[in-house]
């Protein structure tokens, strides 16, 4: 079955750009009519949807982050990526990638295991 | 944005208890709602989609109901592996939003 795995630096300096990649295995990122999302969770807090991308490259972003977020897809590598610019300590969180079936009212499934990103000098 | 309000924020219960968690949307979302279970240090796991449909592989003691603005997740007989935090999520409109979570603790 499809599995997702996040990767990227665990420590980012304030004002710099956070960059993460999600690698999809067990199936082609291009097969099926799926969206692929990024979601984050600060320690001890709830979940925040960051944005999503369709395999055509079409994106939707959370307005609260839209000015700083870019999500892209590389179908040749079966990956999609997140860039979040001008980070501050408030961006410290566990970042998850997930297959986004919410367009079909089917929820997010599956999820990656998550990766902790700390913003600190 | 559509605000999702869960209650209670935490509940203490015993094995075998029936547990009900509610989720209220700030505006109508039809049945565009999912429920997730999250255990410490783990990613959320999809339990229910379309408000009342059970995800494949999820035990039948979990059930969801509701439409419009008011939804419930029910665990009919709490098992030891069910102690976790539960989140609702709406998919009716952007941005997609989650409830604040309900922690189910051992009594």
């Amino acid at each position: 079955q499809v599995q997702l795995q996040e990767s990227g630096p665990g420590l980012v300096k304030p004002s710099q750009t956070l960059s993460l990649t999600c690698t999809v295995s067990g199936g082609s990122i291009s097969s099926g009519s799926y969206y692929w999302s990024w979601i984050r969770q600060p320690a001890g807090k709830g979940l925040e949807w960051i944005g999503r991308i369709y395999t055509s490259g079409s994106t939707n972003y959370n307005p609260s982050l839209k000015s700083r977020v870019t999500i892209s897809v590389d179908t040749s590598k079966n990956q999609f990526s997140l860039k979040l610019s001008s980070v501050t300590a408030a961006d410290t969180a566990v970042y998850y990638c997930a297959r986004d079936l919410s367009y079909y009212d089917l929820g997010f499934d599956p999820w990656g295991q998550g990766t902790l990103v700390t913003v600190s000098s | 944005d559509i605000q999702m309000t869960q209650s209670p924020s935490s509940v203490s219960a015993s094995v075998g208890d029936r547990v009900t968690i509610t989720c209220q949307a700030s505006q109508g979302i039809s049945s565009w709602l999912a429920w997730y279970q999250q255990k410490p240090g783990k990613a959320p796991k999809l339990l229910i989609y379309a408000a009342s449909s059970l995800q494949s592989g999820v035990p039948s003691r979990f059930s969801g109901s509701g439409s419009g603005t008011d939804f419930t997740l029910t665990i009919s007989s709490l098992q030891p592996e069910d102690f976790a935090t539960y989140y609702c999520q709406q998919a009716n409109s952007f941005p997609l939003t989650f409830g604040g979570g309900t922690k189910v603790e051992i009594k």
Side-chain angles (χ1 to χ4, degrees):
Chain A
Q1 72 274 21
V2 172
Q3 293 182 306
L4 290 77
Q5 177 70 57
E6 305 89 349
S7 60
L11 181 64
V12 181
K13 289 182 166 49
S15 79
Q16 293 191 342
T17 296
L18 177 161
S19 296
L20 296 174
T21 296
C22 182
T23 300
V24 179
S25 60
S28 170
I29 199 172
S30 300
S31 67
S33 300
Y34 300 132
Y35 286 87
W36 303 89
S37 270
W38 287 98
I39 297 155
R40 70 180 182 178
Q41 184 174 37
K45 297 189 178 181
L47 299 157
E48 179 180 32
W49 177 73
I50 299 169
R52 71 184 189 186
I53 190 164
Y54 193 62
T55 49
S56 66
S58 171
T59 54
N60 303 106
Y61 297 134
N62 191 323
S64 68
L65 298 167
K66 186 174 183 178
S67 63
R68 299 194 291 130
V69 172
T70 302
I71 297 175
S72 59
V73 64
D74 187 337
T75 55
S76 67
K77 294 182 178 179
N78 232 29
Q79 297 175 334
F80 64 105
S81 299
L82 168 71
K83 290 189 185 299
L84 181 65
S85 64
S86 305
V87 297
T88 69
D91 295 309
T92 295
V94 174
Y95 285 75
Y96 296 101
C97 58
R99 185 171 61 179
D100 183 348
L101 305 173
S102 59
Y103 183 84
Y104 308 100
D105 201 8
L106 299 176
F108 293 105
D109 182 70
W111 296 57
Q113 66 184 27
T115 188
L116 174 62
V117 178
T118 301
V119 178
S120 176
S121 55
Chain B
D1 298 7
I2 296 177
Q3 307 302 317
M4 306 300 292
T5 303
Q6 286 183 234
S7 61
S9 57
S10 66
V11 57
S12 294
S14 301
V15 172
D17 284 354
R18 181 182 183 89
V19 173
T20 299
I21 298 167
T22 66
C23 178
Q24 184 170 59
S26 60
Q27 62 190 73
I29 60 170
S30 185
S31 68
W32 292 83
L33 186 102
W35 289 97
Y36 302 87
Q37 175 193 67
Q38 186 178 36
K39 296 182 178 180
K42 300 294 187 181
K45 171 189 172 185
L46 178 67
L47 298 176
I48 301 285
Y49 61 89
S52 60
S53 296
L54 193 67
Q55 174 71 350
S56 176
V58 174
S60 59
R61 61 181 179 273
F62 291 93
S63 64
S65 64
S67 68
T69 60
D70 296 303
F71 302 86
T72 61
L73 173 70
T74 300
I75 309 171
S76 60
S77 178
L78 198 65
Q79 298 302 299
E81 60 267 30
D82 301 337
F83 291 96
T85 300
Y86 295 83
Y87 293 94
C88 60
Q89 175 247 325
Q90 67 82 17
N92 180 76
S93 63
F94 292 122
L96 307 180
T97 49
F98 293 84
T102 296
K103 187 173 184 179
V104 178
E105 300 175 299
I106 301 172
K107 194 172 189 178

